[in-house]
Amino acid sequence: MKSHQKIVENLVASIKKFHARHEPFRIRHGSTNSTRHGLQNRANTIDISDLRRVLSVDTRSKTALVEPNVPMDRLVECTLQHGLIPPVVMEFPGITAGGGYAGTGGESSSFKYGYFNETVNRAEIVLGNGDVVNASRQENAALFHGASGAVGSLGVTTLLELQLIDAKKYVKTTYHSVSSISESVQKIQEETQKHDHDYIDGILFSPDHGAIVTGSLTDECPPAGHVQTFSSSWDPWYYLHVQAATCSPANTPTTEYIPLPEYLFRYDRGGFWVGRSAFSYFKFPFNRFSRWFLDDFTHTRMLYRALQASGQSAHYVVQDLALPFPKAVEFIDYTKTSFDIWPLWLCPLRQPSLPSLHPHSPQSANAPVAPSESLLLNIGLWGFGPKGQAAFIAKNRELEEKLRQLGGMKWLYAHAYYSEEEFWSMFDRRWYDDLRQKYHAENLPSVWQKVAVDPEVQERAVQSSWSKWLLQFWPFGGFWGIWRAIRSGDYLLARSASWKHKSSSRGVGNKPD
């Protein structure tokens, strides 16, 4: 803890200087899974990238004390040594605990446990005036609740105490085939009412083919059970494996056993399916051999590095969109007509307590939510958008308006084009402003300032730099993104990951995709 305290003391000294000058500042974490371009400079930035350690795991209280930049794979590796795991694990290994708390982290266990922040017991936060406070459900409760989802606009999170649950060897995973949009939404809602599931999500490959996937933690794998992994370079990408497993005319559920960490990070290779777009961009063959050959580049850390550096995130739709179940079919029908992007990710989410900056149903702010309406359905829409900045922005604005009409909300990690008035029509501004005043956050950028994309500012940035201008043209942006990803060395993290399943005498099957 002495090393942690020393880092925090240095942060406090820097923040107090900003506060004395009434000067705003931003926070540098060292990595990001946001697709927005950061325009800040080092002069107005607080660097917290050194806060990246698991300080302790307490097996008696089933808690872990972690710094905010601990990524999910390192967290899981550490807690598994004690037979424990976090209840909600973001499915990209590089997403951090602090990002899950200050941002939004909802995954296939969130129908049961809620967003990632619901599994946090307490947080150490440095306020905008340099004061260090502890926040929990019992102490500074308003700050504890408000800081989750506020993307660092209420203070700098420097430590988290996380809840843990007992780990098991496998996730017994069952793939249920569905043949229409309406059936997929109905099936996933039905499965959330069953009490024997620990994980639920779904993939819509097309309007007439999808899979709803349910999982249960278990230590037992029957002798005839099939054990499947997804981390080896010769393993199938998870979504392709699920697609093959659910295309049988028999339409019967398929069950297999996935080692627990392999399940938690099953979408890492290929970044769900976004990695396939890189093959399309470079006009490179997409087959099992090419995926094996380029495996180092297809892990999510490398994909994000390349996407951010290449400038392609300004032309690529990466949006998570949560809305009430009764409106889900209508919304998917809209994306089918307006975007025609497939596959889509489906993930049920437990509604947060309000007020909140996390996605929620606006109707739930006005009346008690019935049990049947306590869940939202998140829809992951990730794929190439219209060419040209004007067309891309117009399509995103259309998406935002449609989502608002249907009572949904987008996650704030991605491009958001809301005006300030539009943004605050969805959230409780008085509650938020009161928190900023009470906890000395007026010199920090507001949540809207942090998440809103200003197209004019971005265009000026491109036009003022010949290198950024050049990245707009194929294939310069792509090659620059690859170069920056290689220089990051992130591919070494995937190679050396200790969470990967080691084959045993049981044998592990790899089905061709």
Side-chain angles (χ1 to χ4, degrees):
M1 285 294 290
K2 288 184 178 180
S3 175
H4 171 82
Q5 291 169 352
K6 181 62 176 177
I7 295 172
V8 173
E9 287 172 3
N10 292 335
L11 289 174
V12 167
S14 297
I15 290 172
K16 285 184 174 180
K17 291 178 181 178
F18 281 109
H19 181 71
R21 298 193 298 263
H22 301 284
E23 185 178 344
F25 64 88
R26 289 180 180 262
I27 305 165
R28 180 181 180 272
H29 307 276
S31 65
T32 179
N33 282 273
S34 171
T35 56
R36 296 185 303 275
H37 288 285
L39 299 175
Q40 69 266 29
N41 57 59
R42 292 184 181 273
N44 71 337
T45 302
I46 296 292
D47 190 335
I48 67 168
S49 57
D50 286 339
L51 293 171
R52 57 177 184 270
R53 295 166 302 162
V54 177
L55 299 183
S56 66
V57 175
D58 189 326
T59 56
R60 297 182 68 180
S61 64
K62 294 185 180 179
T63 59
L65 203 59
V66 307
E67 293 177 325
N69 293 313
V70 172
M72 288 296 103
D73 52 357
R74 299 293 89 88
L75 177 60
V76 167
E77 287 173 348
C78 187
T79 61
L80 277 177
Q81 294 177 23
H82 303 272
L84 301 167
I85 55 164
V88 178
V89 176
M90 280 75 81
E91 286 146 334
F92 288 175
I95 297 179
T96 62
Y101 174 70
T104 295
E107 308 301 341
S108 60
S109 61
S110 290
F111 78 99
K112 185 174 182 178
Y113 295 103
Y115 294 113
F116 178 83
N117 64 282
E118 299 287 352
T119 69
V120 176
N121 285 336
R122 64 181 176 91
E124 176 186 79
I125 300 175
V126 183
L127 304 181
N129 65 351
D131 289 348
V132 181
V133 301
N134 284 309
S136 67
R137 292 172 181 84
Q138 294 77 37
E139 182 181 9
N140 293 307
L143 175 64
F144 177 71
H145 179 68
S148 68
V151 294
S153 64
L154 294 178
V156 183
T157 303
T158 53
L159 193 65
L160 295 167
E161 183 183 272
L162 306 179
Q163 301 168 17
L164 302 174
I165 60 174
D166 291 329
K168 303 289 185 181
K169 291 182 180 179
Y170 304 103
V171 176
K172 180 183 177 182
T173 308
T174 302
Y175 310 116
H176 308 266
S177 179
V178 290
S179 57
S180 70
I181 295 171
S182 59
E183 184 186 2
S184 68
V185 173
Q186 179 181 352
K187 179 65 175 176
I188 202 168
Q189 189 169 27
E190 288 175 354
E191 294 299 328
T192 63
Q193 305 305 311
K194 300 177 182 178
H195 300 295
D196 55 345
H197 297 321
D198 296 301
Y199 304 99
I200 301 174
D201 70 342
I203 305 173
L204 261 179
F205 302 101
S206 69
D208 56 8
H209 177 203
I212 304 306
V213 185
T214 58
S216 301
L217 291 164
T218 180
D219 281 324
E220 304 299 326
C221 178
H226 175 73
V227 177
Q228 180 64 54
T229 61
F230 299 101
S231 61
S232 167
S233 58
W234 274 115
D235 282 337
W237 284 12
Y238 176 73
Y239 93 94
L240 293 172
H241 178 75
V242 176
Q243 186 174 30
T246 56
C247 65
S248 169
N251 203 30
T252 55
T254 300
T255 297
E256 59 191 9
Y257 293 78
I258 304 176
L260 176 56
E262 295 276 341
Y263 174 88
L264 296 176
F265 302 125
R266 64 201 182 283
Y267 287 113
D268 178 42
R269 292 174 58 248
F272 281 88
W273 36 86
V274 170
R276 185 167 190 165
S277 298
F279 289 80
S280 299
Y281 174 88
F282 285 108
K283 301 176 173 55
F284 200 78
F286 184 76
N287 53 50
R288 194 178 187 194
F289 176 79
S290 63
R291 291 191 293 276
W292 166 81
F293 183 71
L294 296 172
D295 185 67
D296 278 341
F297 299 95
T298 65
H299 294 263
T300 49
R301 281 188 174 99
M302 293 290 282
L303 289 171
Y304 264 103
R305 291 277 189 185
L307 182 66
Q308 292 156 354
S310 68
Q312 290 303 304
S313 63
H315 314 287
Y316 199 86
V317 177
V318 181
Q319 299 284 356
D320 278 275
L321 311 141
L323 66 166
F325 265 89
K327 299 294 185 180
V329 173
E330 182 179 351
F331 183 74
I332 296 172
D333 283 338
Y334 156 76
T335 64
K336 176 182 69 173
T337 302
S338 193
F339 287 85
D340 197 29
I341 290 176
W342 305 97
L344 300 175
W345 187 50
L346 308 179
C347 183
L349 307 169
R350 197 177 75 190
Q351 290 246 33
S353 56
L354 299 180
S356 176
L357 292 166
H358 292 294
H360 61 272
S361 171
Q363 291 87 343
S364 63
N366 303 319
V369 177
S372 61
E373 299 174 352
S374 62
L375 295 178
L376 300 173
L377 183 63
N378 183 74
I379 298 165
L381 182 71
W382 314 312
F384 287 113
K387 293 183 178 179
Q389 185 188 40
F392 182 83
I393 293 172
K395 185 59 69 174
N396 273 272
R397 293 289 288 142
E398 176 191 299
L399 177 68
E400 290 174 344
E401 179 57 28
K402 186 65 175 180
L403 190 63
R404 284 204 305 159
Q405 290 175 5
L406 297 178
M409 291 184 180
K410 61 162 56 178
W411 298 28
L412 299 180
Y413 71 84
H415 291 174
Y417 296 93
Y418 300 115
S419 68
E420 191 168 11
E421 181 180 358
E422 290 171 334
F423 181 85
W424 288 115
S425 70
M426 298 182 292
F427 301 103
D428 189 334
R429 184 168 192 171
R430 178 177 295 181
W431 162 76
Y432 175 75
D433 286 345
D434 286 347
L435 288 175
R436 279 173 63 82
Q437 182 178 13
K438 180 177 181 179
Y439 293 103
H440 313 288
E442 296 96 329
N443 287 336
L444 289 167
S446 72
V447 62
W448 176 78
Q449 289 171 330
K450 295 194 74 168
V451 306
V453 175
D454 188 330
E456 293 182 2
V457 172
Q458 285 198 337
E459 182 62 22
R460 286 197 297 269
V462 170
Q463 296 304 322
S464 64
S465 169
W466 70 266
S467 59
K468 290 183 179 179
W469 174 81
L470 185 63
L471 294 183
Q472 299 177 94
F473 301 100
W474 184 89
F476 298 108
F479 281 124
W480 178 248
I482 288 177
W483 171 241
R484 290 295 298 273
I486 292 172
R487 289 199 60 184
S488 75
D490 282 349
Y491 61 93
L492 297 174
L493 297 175
R495 286 185 184 180
S496 62
S498 64
W499 59 262
K500 293 182 179 180
H501 183 71
K502 307 297 189 295
S503 297
S504 65
S505 58
R506 269 201 58 89
V508 177
N510 293 324
K511 295 179 180 179
D513 55 326

